[in-house]
Amino acid sequence: MRRPLVAGNWKMHGTCASIKQLLNELAEQALPDDVDVAVFPGLIHLQAVGAQVAESHLVVGSQDCAVQLEEGAMTGETSALQLKDIGCSMVLVGHSERRQLQDETDSVICRKFIAAQAAGLTPILCVGESLAEREAGQALVTVQRQIDAVLVELGVEVFNNAVIAYEPIWAIGSGLTATPEQAQEIHAQIRAHVAKYSATVAQDLKILYGGSVKAANAAELFAQVDIDGGLVGGASLNAKEFSAICRAAGN
Ligand code: PEP
């Protein structure tokens, strides 16, 4: 039985004051006991968020980490060990916005995945196709290539301590959501692909859906057998909306 996870990606949003308020509002909301809830603030807010949620069950993660594990001459970068040191336990790797805006390649993402695990962080590997790839019937090919860049390179066992987030690019921040059937189809194919290497790892692997998840569509998405929760962008900046999404992931 996979325990659901709902992760809020705050992207480059918030000020010290607005984030404090968001967490205060979230603390007033009922969060389910049978769902893991994680928030991913921007780098500069990680420590303050960690301190504020220290007494709660909320998990804190980073939106990115450096390819290099140890500290060193990498101006502007933050290593996975430094993230671990300030209390992070998870990290997003390969978010489509970083693949697109920072030109992150599959091999760079694989190195970040390695660094994350070496530091004791759980990586959430983000994968997903563009609209053009979907329309060309290449959605699964793209997603498999992105997964294989880690799976084939490092071996299936690394997914014992990792999460995959399927996020079709055309659904991110666009208001367009994959239908539950469209999402389930890819999630099932991802699990079947991993199962070719290890049925046990595939069975236990959490696969999140991301792309305009809202309180209004979360329950239907999370009811799909291979969808184990969500990676939520915009809606995670609203405490009522985000907590309703978390509740939709519970039983
Ligand atoms: C995301 O940033 O990972 C995301 C899914 O964003 P949104 O929920 O806003 O589409």
Side-chain angles (χ1 to χ4, degrees):
M1 184 72 182
R2 295 181 296 271
R3 188 176 157 86
L5 167 66
V6 177
N9 175 14
W10 293 351
K11 309 195 188 193
M12 198 173 68
H13 288 290
T15 60
C16 295
S18 73
I19 279 172
K20 191 171 179 190
Q21 189 183 337
L22 174 58
L23 288 173
N24 283 338
E25 288 170 6
L26 204 51
E28 288 166 11
Q29 302 294 319
L31 290 177
D33 289 334
D34 55 353
V35 175
D36 290 329
V37 180
V39 292
F40 292 75
L43 198 55
I44 53 166
H45 296 126
L46 278 174
Q47 248 180 313
V49 169
Q52 199 174 338
V53 305
E55 302 301 317
S56 77
H57 294 300
L58 280 189
V59 167
V60 182
S62 172
Q63 299 169 17
D64 185 37
C65 69
V67 293
Q68 183 173 307
L69 180 63
E70 300 81 17
E71 57 189 77
M74 297 195 76
T75 304
E77 291 292 289
T78 307
S79 83
L81 279 174
Q82 290 173 318
L83 294 169
K84 179 78 179 170
D85 183 48
I86 62 163
C88 286
S89 48
M90 306 188 97
V91 60
L92 302 181
V93 293
H95 192 281
S96 63
E97 285 156 13
R98 295 201 62 83
R99 288 181 191 264
Q100 288 179 315
L101 302 174
Q102 313 296 328
D103 289 329
E104 285 193 4
T105 61
D106 284 335
S107 77
V108 162
I109 291 158
C110 181
R111 290 176 66 198
K112 292 186 173 191
F113 187 103
I114 295 170
Q117 286 194 333
L121 303 177
T122 300
I124 299 185
L125 175 65
C126 303
V127 298
E129 81 285 0
S130 65
L131 186 57
E133 286 164 334
R134 173 156 283 263
E135 287 175 346
Q138 296 297 299
L140 184 61
V141 171
T142 300
V143 165
Q144 273 188 14
R145 190 205 73 232
Q146 293 167 335
I147 292 172
D148 283 349
V150 173
L151 177 65
V152 174
E153 189 68 23
L154 307 180
V156 69
E157 301 298 327
V158 295
F159 284 98
N160 276 323
N161 176 32
V163 173
I164 290 178
Y166 168 58
E167 300 203 298
I169 297 171
W170 48 272
I172 296 182
S174 64
L176 292 174
T177 314
T179 63
E181 295 73 27
Q182 280 174 323
Q184 166 58 24
E185 183 183 21
I186 299 283
H187 280 235
Q189 286 167 329
I190 292 173
R191 201 177 302 287
H193 183 62
V194 176
K196 287 182 223 154
Y197 298 82
S198 166
T200 321
V201 174
Q203 184 56 37
D204 292 343
L205 177 63
K206 284 180 202 182
I207 308 176
L208 311 184
Y209 169 77
S212 300
V213 176
K214 310 183 256 302
N217 59 23
E220 244 194 317
L221 286 159
F222 299 161
Q224 306 301 309
V225 287
D226 288 295
I227 301 184
D228 307 309
L231 178 52
V232 185
S236 68
L237 295 165
N238 178 306
K240 277 197 179 143
E241 188 77 9
F242 186 59
S243 61
I245 293 170
C246 294
R247 288 191 293 275
N251 279 318

